[in-house]
Amino acid sequence: MSYQAPVKDLLFNIEHLANIEAVAQLPGFEDAGLETAQAVLQECAKFNQDVVAPLNVAGDTHPSSFKDGQVTTTPGFKDAFKQYAAGGWQGLQHDADYGGQGLPKTIGAACQEMLNSANLSFALCPLLTDGAIEALVTAGSDTLKATYLEKLISGEWTGTMNLTEPQAGSDLALVRSRAEPQPDGSYKVFGTKIFITYGEHDMAENIIHLVLARVQGAPEGVKGISLFVVPKFLVNADGSLGERNDAHCVSIEHKLGIKASPTAVLQFGDNGGAVGYLVGEENRGLEYMFIMMNAARYAVGLQGIAVSERSYQQAVAYARERVQSRPVDGSVKGSATIIHHPDVRRMLMTMRALIEGTRATAMTAAAAYDAAHKHPDAQVRQDNQAFYEFMVPLVKGYSTEISQEVTALGVQVHGGMGFIEETGSAQHYRDCKILTIYEGTTAIQANDLVGRKTGRDGGVAAKSIAAQIEKTEGELQALGTAAAQAVARELAAARQAFVDVVEFMVANGRESPNAAFAGSVPYLMLAGNLVAGWNLGRALLVADKQLANGQDKAFYQAKIITAQFYAEHILPRTAALRSAILNGGESVMALDMDDF
Amino acid sequence: MSYQAPVKDLLFNIEHLANIEAVAQLPGFEDAGLETAQAVLQECAKFNQDVVAPLNVAGDTHPSSFKDGQVTTTPGFKDAFKQYAAGGWQGLQHDADYGGQGLPKTIGAACQEMLNSANLSFALCPLLTDGAIEALVTAGSDTLKATYLEKLISGEWTGTMNLTEPQAGSDLALVRSRAEPQPDGSYKVFGTKIFITYGEHDMAENIIHLVLARVQGAPEGVKGISLFVVPKFLVNADGSLGERNDAHCVSIEHKLGIKASPTAVLQFGDNGGAVGYLVGEENRGLEYMFIMMNAARYAVGLQGIAVSERSYQQAVAYARERVQSRPVDGSVKGSATIIHHPDVRRMLMTMRALIEGTRATAMTAAAAYDAAHKHPDAQVRQDNQAFYEFMVPLVKGYSTEISQEVTALGVQVHGGMGFIEETGSAQHYRDCKILTIYEGTTAIQANDLVGRKTGRDGGVAAKSIAAQIEKTEGELQALGTAAAQAVARELAAARQAFVDVVEFMVANGRESPNAAFAGSVPYLMLAGNLVAGWNLGRALLVADKQLANGQDKAFYQAKIITAQFYAEHILPRTAALRSAILNGGESVMALDMDDF
């Protein structure tokens, strides 16, 4: 099934919800206005539709394979990655000083969505490389930057994140890998890392592992973790590749989905020690790793939207083609395509509304990221940073959770054919299941939301978002169309539920942590749901104005209908979540552990 | 991962919610009291734990395979099925006149749940055979009964249901297979059937296909469909096997899950015509097929509960063993097993509550089935029949939809390990996806609920259930414990939502069919949710009484906590569904088909 990049909707988001013209006034982004966005997105769409998307099924049927320490990727991946690198796509958002294109996240995020829709497995390699680049930019020495950044940004080399060990998944305090300082200032790194995405592959000349390990004598727990660069091949002074480092892949995993993405077990130091170079200062590794993680978390959120979009497109195509049963309203005599049937429509509208809502949130968050990094006014930077940081767990958690709903509906629309692997819909259902797990499970995102993002400032950031939502409600009420009123009404109810829960979290986060954290994921789902609905409400206001200007009727009417559908069908879920959080804290922990 | 049959909980349901002692007063079930149930369930648990459950992973890793028209099932299946037959399990609920054990559905359903938990793929063969038996018992001639029933009930032969054709899935009006009458009273059957579960295999000597086809000259649509018996091997007058019939498997499907269950494409009549025998009268095939379907729909509902139970057991075991992170309440210094963490508990409680709730509904419905068939008083039979028929779409639709939620949570509890196929949790997530599709998708169940089960009697059956729920609320209020009050409060709100929706459906089913059917699946989910919560409310009342009697404290306290959790966390979803149904009918169909 081919992929058609939703360029029009992405540009709608970029122009109207992320406000690209404001982004283009930020220092350094002067050339990144709407025209640039249009040109980049069109080129990106073409590349992903023509080169990357056609490899998605092959990645599932011919996964990466492992033999004698080597990983062979799916046929076609190596060449596609070469084209990806040659097109400059890896450097889209990175610093022009190192060969990047220095575009804002507002444009970069749209491109990332397309790449992930085209091929979730393929997209993971650039995704992890982005993380490695960000860590080096932030904390690497000039030597490390000079040695690695240009090659990573050009796509000649790729990067990995090495956090997890068999006993240390969500809990990095348990990391045991160790690093021994050497006289020359380098370290020897020893340990086993698991679940390393693209930890070994044949798509690039070198792989730059960023590895968490403890220096001898470091404090216990997360305060004793340092970050190291451990290249697969050492790099000579002239930039050419030197000796093979003592970092080896010993196996890859057999997984439910994203089968083309090799998930490696890496052994460091089995033959004397892997040469590593400290990033930044000792014992600050977790802090640097969080730089990579935060970028990666946002990107995984985009993966949720992306796989949902792909599943939706396939479901729509099938619903337009499959003939079965007479419509209940008698609009067609005899059997009709199943898109005539109300429940098929309900499923497609649910998919569509969830996708457009989460996309609107992600794109709005991207613009805040850009302002947080580049705005000349410190207060504006700070406000945008607070907003962005509140959005990250929602983009990651909500978009990936809803991808499971959307891809399940995608299979369901296909009926029995959905269960047949050759149909292709089931791949999305399998692929997406990792998204709520890696780069921090939904519960980890929710802990972040409850603790750092809500508790720490006493709910200030949360309530400032609620105030912005209330303002949108007012604008919708003022507009006064039936659709706007419906959205305003449901938004008001959902916002009130959100405020109630924020107050509950602030009151209970420290006093009754079990009750608060029992509601953490429901709170994340409530907040993610509300913010998506809010952004669709904003979209409705824009669409109404465009319609009045006589623009592109079908597109803007669809936007209004989708916003109304979201408000009527999805926003009311917030009431159930509020109720569970406020009333249900005790029953979560009441059952004795032995009685499960 | 081994399976421990939940015999205690099943017996609790049989004794207290299904009221087995009342069932044992029905004519023909005199020996089927609690003691019989205990003995049968213990034996059944042992067989399934020891023989069937250990084959579940092998079925996934070594699926049934096809070569030259033959299907070879997973190693171990053939022998296990021999033991299943020898143990008399196929005949559990069937007529003693044909060698069955004649036990009530109240006991049979509990055994079916265990078989399906043990191995969903394996259990499908008996499940389909049950359907064939029921159709023959109801509509078969004496000759057909004499020829086939005993062998099917003994498990020497197995049965299949042949409805689907490439162009005719949910829409049986499109069936094209045809049957030509022969001078000897038999027919020659021609056509292609797809998605035929156990349509070919090596576990039994003969396979008895029940096939929908049109007799020449029959009316168009569903009123021209007849039902035929088409055995794989013809049967000689002395009961021995004769010639191979012209019904051949040409391929089996490559599926997302239940891989051990061969899903066959069958060709009938490619070499001159398959010999078939009419069941009942011509053109009444659909009616007879519904007999099989209704039994099968209930059974698929049990599959949803069963796979959820298996997923739950595996998740609990992992949560008890995996050590990661410090509890937020400081109850353990340092890292603890993840079952200490509130969100893991929330996930496990959600799984548990959904399983116990749907099980309680299924078991209560089974008792109604028994009374509907055997009670001496016609009015009692009729009331129970109406109740049972209302329950069938809920048992099928709600239990299978929640199995997707439960198995996804099962994977999620495992974190990254859940995504690794060898862990085994992902198999349940894959296996369960067919359950909302086959034997009628959730939408088909929901249409049945809206049309035949609610619209036809103007909501009488629905409101009589609401009245029973209200009575339970009163009993809970009278009990007055905090848990009972919480359940009563949430039940009252959910029941009112249900009544509102029932009235909406009655008012709009004919007048505004698009609006009604746009809410059909949400209505099914609302009704299924409510009824499960109600039955857990009934369970709470029993548990409280047993506790007062000093019985088995841990078990009954767990029951009370689970009921309260369900009420506080799951029942509030009904408010969101009510809102979507009552307000959202128009936005479902508002978007033009071309604009998706």
PDB file of all heavy atoms in Angstrom, chain A residues 119-138:
ATOM      1  N   ASN A 119       8.291   4.641   6.882  1.00  0.00           N
ATOM      2  CA  ASN A 119       8.974   3.436   7.322  1.00  0.00           C
ATOM      3  C   ASN A 119       9.505   3.640   8.735  1.00  0.00           C
ATOM      4  O   ASN A 119      10.589   4.198   8.933  1.00  0.00           O
ATOM      5  CB  ASN A 119      10.134   3.156   6.346  1.00  0.00           C
ATOM      6  CG  ASN A 119      10.619   1.739   6.424  1.00  0.00           C
ATOM      7  OD1 ASN A 119      10.672   1.160   7.500  1.00  0.00           O
ATOM      8  ND2 ASN A 119      10.973   1.186   5.274  1.00  0.00           N
ATOM      9  N   LEU A 120       8.749   3.133   9.684  1.00  0.00           N
ATOM     10  CA  LEU A 120       9.096   3.312  11.101  1.00  0.00           C
ATOM     11  C   LEU A 120      10.465   2.709  11.413  1.00  0.00           C
ATOM     12  O   LEU A 120      11.266   3.310  12.135  1.00  0.00           O
ATOM     13  CB  LEU A 120       8.018   2.605  11.935  1.00  0.00           C
ATOM     14  CG  LEU A 120       7.501   3.235  13.208  1.00  0.00           C
ATOM     15  CD1 LEU A 120       7.078   4.662  13.036  1.00  0.00           C
ATOM     16  CD2 LEU A 120       6.322   2.410  13.737  1.00  0.00           C
ATOM     17  N   SER A 121      10.734   1.549  10.860  1.00  0.00           N
ATOM     18  CA  SER A 121      12.002   0.865  11.140  1.00  0.00           C
ATOM     19  C   SER A 121      13.184   1.635  10.578  1.00  0.00           C
ATOM     20  O   SER A 121      14.212   1.794  11.236  1.00  0.00           O
ATOM     21  CB  SER A 121      12.011  -0.537  10.512  1.00  0.00           C
ATOM     22  OG  SER A 121      11.233  -1.429  11.262  1.00  0.00           O
ATOM     23  N   PHE A 122      13.043   2.094   9.344  1.00  0.00           N
ATOM     24  CA  PHE A 122      14.112   2.843   8.694  1.00  0.00           C
ATOM     25  C   PHE A 122      14.388   4.138   9.462  1.00  0.00           C
ATOM     26  O   PHE A 122      15.533   4.515   9.703  1.00  0.00           O
ATOM     27  CB  PHE A 122      13.703   3.154   7.247  1.00  0.00           C
ATOM     28  CG  PHE A 122      14.727   3.899   6.453  1.00  0.00           C
ATOM     29  CD1 PHE A 122      15.730   3.218   5.773  1.00  0.00           C
ATOM     30  CD2 PHE A 122      14.704   5.290   6.372  1.00  0.00           C
ATOM     31  CE1 PHE A 122      16.684   3.914   5.030  1.00  0.00           C
ATOM     32  CE2 PHE A 122      15.659   5.987   5.636  1.00  0.00           C
ATOM     33  CZ  PHE A 122      16.650   5.294   4.966  1.00  0.00           C
ATOM     34  N   ALA A 123      13.318   4.816   9.848  1.00  0.00           N
ATOM     35  CA  ALA A 123      13.426   6.134  10.470  1.00  0.00           C
ATOM     36  C   ALA A 123      14.147   6.100  11.810  1.00  0.00           C
ATOM     37  O   ALA A 123      14.643   7.125  12.283  1.00  0.00           O
ATOM     38  CB  ALA A 123      12.031   6.735  10.650  1.00  0.00           C
ATOM     39  N   LEU A 124      14.213   4.935  12.422  1.00  0.00           N
ATOM     40  CA  LEU A 124      14.848   4.873  13.738  1.00  0.00           C
ATOM     41  C   LEU A 124      16.333   5.166  13.684  1.00  0.00           C
ATOM     42  O   LEU A 124      16.905   5.679  14.652  1.00  0.00           O
ATOM     43  CB  LEU A 124      14.606   3.502  14.376  1.00  0.00           C
ATOM     44  CG  LEU A 124      13.257   3.400  15.071  1.00  0.00           C
ATOM     45  CD1 LEU A 124      12.895   1.942  15.312  1.00  0.00           C
ATOM     46  CD2 LEU A 124      13.283   4.160  16.391  1.00  0.00           C
ATOM     47  N   CYS A 125      16.973   4.848  12.596  1.00  0.00           N
ATOM     48  CA  CYS A 125      18.413   5.079  12.514  1.00  0.00           C
ATOM     49  C   CYS A 125      18.713   6.585  12.565  1.00  0.00           C
ATOM     50  O   CYS A 125      19.469   7.033  13.440  1.00  0.00           O
ATOM     51  CB  CYS A 125      18.980   4.403  11.269  1.00  0.00           C
ATOM     52  SG  CYS A 125      20.776   4.409  11.239  1.00  0.00           S
ATOM     53  N   PRO A 126      18.107   7.405  11.710  1.00  0.00           N
ATOM     54  CA  PRO A 126      18.274   8.858  11.837  1.00  0.00           C
ATOM     55  C   PRO A 126      17.805   9.411  13.176  1.00  0.00           C
ATOM     56  O   PRO A 126      18.402  10.350  13.708  1.00  0.00           O
ATOM     57  CB  PRO A 126      17.400   9.414  10.708  1.00  0.00           C
ATOM     58  CG  PRO A 126      17.212   8.310   9.743  1.00  0.00           C
ATOM     59  CD  PRO A 126      17.386   7.027  10.482  1.00  0.00           C
ATOM     60  N   LEU A 127      16.755   8.823  13.725  1.00  0.00           N
ATOM     61  CA  LEU A 127      16.216   9.317  14.996  1.00  0.00           C
ATOM     62  C   LEU A 127      17.271   9.212  16.101  1.00  0.00           C
ATOM     63  O   LEU A 127      17.484  10.131  16.888  1.00  0.00           O
ATOM     64  CB  LEU A 127      14.955   8.513  15.342  1.00  0.00           C
ATOM     65  CG  LEU A 127      14.059   8.993  16.488  1.00  0.00           C
ATOM     66  CD1 LEU A 127      12.663   8.387  16.318  1.00  0.00           C
ATOM     67  CD2 LEU A 127      14.595   8.658  17.853  1.00  0.00           C
ATOM     68  N   LEU A 128      17.931   8.059  16.149  1.00  0.00           N
ATOM     69  CA  LEU A 128      18.953   7.871  17.182  1.00  0.00           C
ATOM     70  C   LEU A 128      20.189   8.718  16.893  1.00  0.00           C
ATOM     71  O   LEU A 128      20.830   9.243  17.811  1.00  0.00           O
ATOM     72  CB  LEU A 128      19.339   6.383  17.285  1.00  0.00           C
ATOM     73  CG  LEU A 128      18.489   5.512  18.214  1.00  0.00           C
ATOM     74  CD1 LEU A 128      18.598   6.015  19.651  1.00  0.00           C
ATOM     75  CD2 LEU A 128      17.036   5.431  17.830  1.00  0.00           C
ATOM     76  N   THR A 129      20.505   8.865  15.622  1.00  0.00           N
ATOM     77  CA  THR A 129      21.646   9.717  15.257  1.00  0.00           C
ATOM     78  C   THR A 129      21.398  11.157  15.704  1.00  0.00           C
ATOM     79  O   THR A 129      22.299  11.818  16.234  1.00  0.00           O
ATOM     80  CB  THR A 129      21.888   9.639  13.737  1.00  0.00           C
ATOM     81  OG1 THR A 129      22.110   8.268  13.387  1.00  0.00           O
ATOM     82  CG2 THR A 129      23.093  10.470  13.318  1.00  0.00           C
ATOM     83  N   ASP A 130      20.180  11.646  15.509  1.00  0.00           N
ATOM     84  CA  ASP A 130      19.808  12.989  15.988  1.00  0.00           C
ATOM     85  C   ASP A 130      20.118  13.142  17.472  1.00  0.00           C
ATOM     86  O   ASP A 130      20.633  14.174  17.911  1.00  0.00           O
ATOM     87  CB  ASP A 130      18.304  13.235  15.790  1.00  0.00           C
ATOM     88  CG  ASP A 130      17.965  13.681  14.372  1.00  0.00           C
ATOM     89  OD1 ASP A 130      18.866  14.157  13.656  1.00  0.00           O
ATOM     90  OD2 ASP A 130      16.789  13.553  13.988  1.00  0.00           O
ATOM     91  N   GLY A 131      19.782  12.121  18.237  1.00  0.00           N
ATOM     92  CA  GLY A 131      20.017  12.179  19.682  1.00  0.00           C
ATOM     93  C   GLY A 131      21.508  12.291  19.990  1.00  0.00           C
ATOM     94  O   GLY A 131      21.937  13.082  20.843  1.00  0.00           O
ATOM     95  N   ALA A 132      22.300  11.491  19.296  1.00  0.00           N
ATOM     96  CA  ALA A 132      23.751  11.520  19.515  1.00  0.00           C
ATOM     97  C   ALA A 132      24.315  12.895  19.164  1.00  0.00           C
ATOM     98  O   ALA A 132      25.156  13.448  19.884  1.00  0.00           O
ATOM     99  CB  ALA A 132      24.424  10.430  18.678  1.00  0.00           C
ATOM    100  N   ILE A 133      23.816  13.452  18.079  1.00  0.00           N
ATOM    101  CA  ILE A 133      24.275  14.784  17.663  1.00  0.00           C
ATOM    102  C   ILE A 133      23.946  15.816  18.743  1.00  0.00           C
ATOM    103  O   ILE A 133      24.794  16.609  19.155  1.00  0.00           O
ATOM    104  CB  ILE A 133      23.622  15.185  16.321  1.00  0.00           C
ATOM    105  CG1 ILE A 133      24.146  14.294  15.185  1.00  0.00           C
ATOM    106  CG2 ILE A 133      23.880  16.665  16.016  1.00  0.00           C
ATOM    107  CD1 ILE A 133      23.353  14.393  13.878  1.00  0.00           C
ATOM    108  N   GLU A 134      22.723  15.781  19.242  1.00  0.00           N
ATOM    109  CA  GLU A 134      22.318  16.768  20.250  1.00  0.00           C
ATOM    110  C   GLU A 134      23.170  16.660  21.517  1.00  0.00           C
ATOM    111  O   GLU A 134      23.538  17.668  22.115  1.00  0.00           O
ATOM    112  CB  GLU A 134      20.840  16.601  20.595  1.00  0.00           C
ATOM    113  CG  GLU A 134      19.935  17.028  19.448  1.00  0.00           C
ATOM    114  CD  GLU A 134      18.705  17.797  19.947  1.00  0.00           C
ATOM    115  OE1 GLU A 134      18.794  18.516  20.963  1.00  0.00           O
ATOM    116  OE2 GLU A 134      17.651  17.657  19.306  1.00  0.00           O
ATOM    117  N   ALA A 135      23.479  15.450  21.919  1.00  0.00           N
ATOM    118  CA  ALA A 135      24.295  15.281  23.129  1.00  0.00           C
ATOM    119  C   ALA A 135      25.692  15.853  22.910  1.00  0.00           C
ATOM    120  O   ALA A 135      26.242  16.535  23.784  1.00  0.00           O
ATOM    121  CB  ALA A 135      24.370  13.798  23.503  1.00  0.00           C
ATOM    122  N   LEU A 136      26.268  15.584  21.741  1.00  0.00           N
ATOM    123  CA  LEU A 136      27.618  16.100  21.463  1.00  0.00           C
ATOM    124  C   LEU A 136      27.620  17.619  21.345  1.00  0.00           C
ATOM    125  O   LEU A 136      28.533  18.285  21.835  1.00  0.00           O
ATOM    126  CB  LEU A 136      28.178  15.462  20.181  1.00  0.00           C
ATOM    127  CG  LEU A 136      28.597  13.999  20.318  1.00  0.00           C
ATOM    128  CD1 LEU A 136      28.979  13.418  18.958  1.00  0.00           C
ATOM    129  CD2 LEU A 136      29.764  13.867  21.307  1.00  0.00           C
ATOM    130  N   VAL A 137      26.606  18.155  20.698  1.00  0.00           N
ATOM    131  CA  VAL A 137      26.520  19.606  20.553  1.00  0.00           C
ATOM    132  C   VAL A 137      26.454  20.258  21.931  1.00  0.00           C
ATOM    133  O   VAL A 137      27.117  21.257  22.217  1.00  0.00           O
ATOM    134  CB  VAL A 137      25.280  20.002  19.711  1.00  0.00           C
ATOM    135  CG1 VAL A 137      24.968  21.481  19.858  1.00  0.00           C
ATOM    136  CG2 VAL A 137      25.497  19.632  18.250  1.00  0.00           C
ATOM    137  N   THR A 138      25.664  19.672  22.815  1.00  0.00           N
ATOM    138  CA  THR A 138      25.446  20.274  24.125  1.00  0.00           C
ATOM    139  C   THR A 138      26.644  20.108  25.052  1.00  0.00           C
ATOM    140  O   THR A 138      27.014  21.033  25.764  1.00  0.00           O
ATOM    141  CB  THR A 138      24.221  19.625  24.806  1.00  0.00           C
ATOM    142  OG1 THR A 138      23.167  19.589  23.864  1.00  0.00           O
ATOM    143  CG2 THR A 138      23.803  20.396  26.031  1.00  0.00           C
TER     144      THR A 138
END
